[in-house]
Amino acid sequence: MSLPKPGDNVKVILLSGETIEGVVEWIDGGGAWVKGAQKSRWVPLEAFQPPPQADDSKDDE
């Protein structure tokens, strides 16, 4: 998933397990303000990145 732009509808799951769903109002250097139906929340940009994949191809032993 690429970084959202203002006006985009997003749904992200934070490391705490909390799900944030709404429209991106603005983005600064470290996160985005997401305005949801129940609440608004600043979400760090890392939450929009896919989790790092483990590299299981260790053939250089």
Side-chain angles (χ1 to χ4, degrees):
M1 176 180 202
S2 61
L3 294 178
K5 297 181 288 296
D8 286 353
N9 283 309
V10 296
K11 180 177 182 181
V12 294
I13 299 173
L14 302 179
L15 292 176
S16 66
E18 182 180 6
T19 300
I20 306 296
E21 191 170 1
V23 178
V24 175
E25 292 283 307
W26 50 261
I27 297 174
D28 62 18
W33 185 256
V34 178
K35 183 176 182 183
Q38 271 85 38
K39 64 180 175 177
S40 296
R41 170 96 190 240
W42 183 86
V43 177
L45 291 179
E46 297 84 46
F48 296 104
Q49 301 296 327
Q53 303 231 339
D55 185 11
D56 293 334
S57 59
K58 304 260 190 230
D59 293 330
D60 54 27
E61 291 182 30

